[in-house]
Amino acid sequence: MILLLRRLLRPELAVAAFSFILPDLVDKSLWVLGVFNDGRNIGHTLFATFLVALAFSLRKRVYGLIALFGGMAHLLSDTSGLVPWFYPFKT
């Protein structure tokens, strides 16, 4: 049981989970506040994904790679609808 908790509480897993859910936290919050008409905007861009990965890599390089993979996994899982990967350069 303790070994399982140690694996679940690893910082790498927290970075992966945070970077995976961050695009929805950003965009859905802005949508609820009425800033955007859709729930997929700034947070669902490649720029935001790379920016988050860069921020994590300042702490530790492996965290940046994990954040990049987490963010890209989220973007690829959202391909069923419109994902503005290159926003604001392409609408």
Side-chain angles (χ1 to χ4, degrees), residues 10-88:
R10 293 182 61 153
E12 292 87 359
L13 185 59
V15 169
F18 180 75
S19 63
F20 187 82
I21 194 120
L22 186 64
D24 282 336
L25 289 175
V26 170
D27 286 341
K28 301 302 190 242
S29 299
L30 293 173
W31 175 63
V32 167
L33 293 173
V35 176
F36 293 115
N37 295 332
D38 189 3
R40 293 181 180 160
N41 284 297
I42 294 173
H44 285 80
T45 62
L46 292 174
F47 178 72
T49 302
F50 287 122
L51 193 64
V52 170
L54 178 67
F56 274 110
S57 70
L58 294 176
R59 176 74 173 150
K60 200 172 186 182
R61 185 176 293 174
V62 70
Y63 292 168
L65 291 173
I66 292 169
L68 181 65
F69 284 120
M72 290 304 295
H74 181 95
L75 292 181
L76 292 173
S77 69
D78 272 355
T79 57
S80 62
L82 174 68
V83 179
W85 287 19
F86 301 107
Y87 179 86

